[in-house]
Amino acid sequence: MDANSSLTIGAYRSNDAFAWTESRARGLIFWIPAIVVGLAYLTQHNLLYAAGETIDYDQVSDLVSEAGSSSVVRQFSFFSISAIGAILLWKRSRSRETPNMWLLAGCFLMCGLMMASCVWADASFQSFKRSFVTFLVLIAAVGIAKHWQGRELLLFVAGLTVSYLLLGIGAEIAQGSFTLSSTHRLAGTQHPNTQGVNCALLALSSLALVADSHRKRATAMQLVWLSIASIGIVCLLLTRSRSATVAFAVALVVFMFQGASRNKKVLYGCALLQLAAIAGVLWCASDSQDGFLSAVKMGREQDAAEITTLTGRIPIWGAVLGEVSERPLFGYGYGGFWTSRRVEEFSSLFNWTFMHSHSAYLETLLNVGIVGLMGGLAVVIGGIIAASNAFRRTGDQGFHFVTALLVLALVHGFLDSSFARDGIETFIGALAIAVVAFHGVPGAASNLRHASKSANRDRQANSIQFAIPGPEHAPILNA
């Protein structure tokens, strides 16, 4: 009896060790890519932004972008995340993958078009370098998504964005520029508009984690994530980024309505209509509309002319459309339009130094033309549909977040080009689409449950071999 007991204890210890080893492996698969990606994109940050209002944000952004394109550290960072992605692509996943091949094929076809565009680009080598970076990013996103579930995506986005936000606030405090004055724009180590997108992503991912904690009845974690989401929203307003704020508002509405009951949808709709009516009455009641203009300015020192031209964007868009009309189908090659000559030409024309068109749609037209824009929209809209269907089918808050994230990207793209460049926003978007492609298809969840049940059966079979004999074995032992 003592021998059997010791064997049984040994089996339980073996099972505990197996579970611990599996848990440790899952932790490594999450933490190693998350840390490497976070550090890789940290190379795009700049402490000069923390200096305050005396810094010309757009000039600093251009200098950082221009210098970063040839930075050895930046190149090494992209190769690092790509290596992580390649290893994870090669490694077998614990689930039986049934990926959405149409969605994955769309991503790789878009990447292929970008790389092929260096053939007709004015600056072929520059276009090849930029498109190759996109390829490295896509490999990283797809490899990581193969092993990450929706909750891991949420934890990664929330953890990364809150880290960048805390870093930015700490940098401003160290520089002595952090203030809650009505004119200060929270920037930290990023352009205020980029920090605005960072805060919007933080708020959306935290709200999804609030809903996930509510589903698991973890009240304490609900309060924690709700507090973090509130901080994200407050800091978003402190960046005074209109494009990020508007995009977040639309994404938040989609997030609230998706999956809500009919009664809640009616309640949300009535509340939105009431807010719109109040805003309309207040605006019409003002003779000079000063209150409305003040709200639109979000505390920024701008006159009405700047607002009506969307801070100089409309004239730039007109000039860019003129360039697009000369190469409408396939554009000027990915990253091949903004050569030093064109940057100088546009800067002298508008008395404003910039290296992008301040619109993801126009930037895509410049890069890969109408063909590329239609392909990119097909992938993003396909990702929204797939994520929405997966959320309705499974209730996974990760898919809920992906839907809102891609809507945010579509709306934000009208006024800025962050999601059309090689920043962390683009990586998160690609990662989100890849997670949906791998784990949002019908049957993926059941395959994962099947794999888990099979592992449990194997462990139970191993423990039965060393189990204490039951009554049914007594005759044999007595014999």
Side-chain angles (χ1 to χ4, degrees), residues 53-74:
E53 293 87 341
T54 58
I55 294 296
D56 185 342
Y57 291 122
D58 297 294
Q59 183 67 27
V60 172
S61 176
D62 297 336
L63 291 175
V64 171
S65 176
E66 188 174 11
S69 63
S70 59
S71 169
V72 176
V73 175
R74 185 170 179 269

Side-chain angles (χ1 to χ4, degrees), residues 18-310:
F18 178 85
W20 181 80
T21 302
E22 185 180 21
S23 175
R24 182 176 63 173
R26 293 296 305 162
L28 291 175
I29 289 176
F30 174 77
W31 283 108
I32 291 178
I35 293 173
V36 172
V37 170
L39 292 176
Y41 282 97
L42 193 61
T43 60
Q44 298 184 356
H45 291 233
N46 190 347
L47 291 175
L48 289 179
Y49 287 120
E53 293 87 341
T54 58
I55 294 296
D56 185 342
Y57 291 122
D58 297 294
Q59 183 67 27
V60 172
S61 176
D62 297 336
L63 291 175
V64 171
S65 176
E66 188 174 11
S69 63
S70 59
S71 169
V72 176
V73 175
R74 185 170 179 269
Q75 292 171 4
F76 175 78
S77 66
F78 281 116
F79 277 111
S80 298
I81 64 173
S82 178
I84 293 288
I87 293 172
L88 292 178
L89 267 178
W90 172 77
K91 179 179 171 58
R92 290 188 60 184
S93 174
R94 60 174 178 162
S95 63
R96 300 177 181 178
E97 300 89 7
T98 53
N100 185 332
M101 296 305 300
W102 290 105
L103 204 53
L104 289 177
C107 293
F108 279 99
L109 284 174
M110 277 298 301
C111 185
L113 176 62
M114 293 176 186
M115 298 191 73
S117 68
C118 66
V119 175
W120 61 81
D122 292 344
S124 298
F125 184 63
Q126 177 177 313
S127 180
F128 173 76
K129 288 195 301 181
R130 298 290 175 84
S131 58
F132 189 67
V133 166
T134 302
F135 173 73
L136 296 178
V137 169
L138 183 59
I139 291 295
V142 173
I144 293 171
K146 181 181 178 181
H147 298 268
W148 283 10
Q149 300 291 320
R151 179 172 173 80
E152 289 164 315
L153 172 66
L154 291 177
L155 292 173
F156 166 72
V157 175
L160 183 70
T161 52
V162 77
S163 299
Y164 285 169
L165 177 60
L166 292 176
L167 174 65
I169 294 175
E172 288 202 353
I173 293 175
Q175 292 277 358
S177 62
F178 182 78
T179 175
L180 298 178
S181 67
S182 60
T183 58
H184 175 68
R185 298 186 67 186
L186 175 63
T189 56
Q190 305 181 85
H191 189 283
N193 290 341
T194 306
Q195 188 67 263
V197 176
N198 183 77
C199 294
L201 294 175
L202 171 60
L204 282 179
S205 57
S206 299
L207 288 173
L209 286 166
V210 170
D212 184 66
S213 299
H214 175 73
R215 185 183 178 190
K216 297 177 180 178
R217 299 180 179 179
T219 306
M221 291 308 301
Q222 275 185 263
L223 296 176
V224 170
W225 290 118
L226 185 60
S227 301
I228 295 175
S230 301
I231 293 172
I233 294 173
V234 170
C235 290
L236 168 61
L237 297 177
L238 290 178
T239 65
R240 309 188 193 281
S241 172
R242 290 186 288 261
S243 54
T245 302
V246 171
F248 171 74
V250 175
L252 181 60
V253 170
V254 171
F255 185 87
M256 291 169 57
F257 275 83
Q258 188 183 25
S261 64
R262 182 175 299 178
N263 291 337
K264 284 187 177 180
K265 288 181 179 179
V266 172
L267 178 63
Y268 295 155
C270 292
L272 290 174
L273 289 175
Q274 187 173 8
L275 288 174
I278 292 174
V281 169
L282 291 176
W283 180 49
C284 294
S286 174
D287 294 333
S288 61
Q289 286 82 42
D290 287 340
F292 176 78
L293 288 177
S294 177
V296 172
K297 289 179 183 179
M298 294 185 67
R300 295 162 64 175
E301 296 180 356
Q302 295 177 320
D303 53 27
E306 284 186 285
I307 295 175
T308 55
T309 60
L310 299 179

Side-chain angles (χ1 to χ4, degrees), residues 314-339:
I314 292 179
I316 292 174
W317 292 345
V320 168
L321 283 173
E323 299 288 343
V324 169
S325 63
E326 297 185 9
R327 295 191 185 182
L329 288 181
F330 295 99
Y332 292 82
Y334 185 75
F337 178 80
W338 295 105
T339 60

Side-chain angles (χ1 to χ4, degrees), residues 316-402:
I316 292 174
W317 292 345
V320 168
L321 283 173
E323 299 288 343
V324 169
S325 63
E326 297 185 9
R327 295 191 185 182
L329 288 181
F330 295 99
Y332 292 82
Y334 185 75
F337 178 80
W338 295 105
T339 60
S340 57
R341 179 183 63 82
R342 288 199 177 95
V343 170
E344 184 178 356
E345 177 184 340
F346 274 75
S347 299
S348 61
L349 182 62
F350 295 100
N351 195 26
W352 180 20
T353 303
F354 56 92
M355 295 178 66
H356 55 88
S357 58
H358 292 276
S359 168
Y361 300 98
L362 291 179
E363 196 70 15
T364 304
L365 285 173
L366 288 174
N367 287 331
V368 285
I370 295 175
V371 174
L373 178 61
M374 292 298 102
L377 287 175
V379 171
V380 175
I381 294 174
I384 291 175
I385 295 173
S388 180
N389 291 337
F391 173 63
R392 286 198 298 267
R393 188 172 58 252
T394 65
D396 191 325
Q397 290 297 323
F399 301 133
H400 194 186
F401 165 73
V402 172

Side-chain angles (χ1 to χ4, degrees), residues 379-385 387 401-411 428-430 432-433 436:
V379 171
V380 175
I381 294 174
I384 291 175
I385 295 173
F401 165 73
V402 172
T403 305
L405 163 67
L406 297 180
V407 169
L408 182 144
L410 288 177
V411 177
I428 291 175
I433 292 174
V436 173

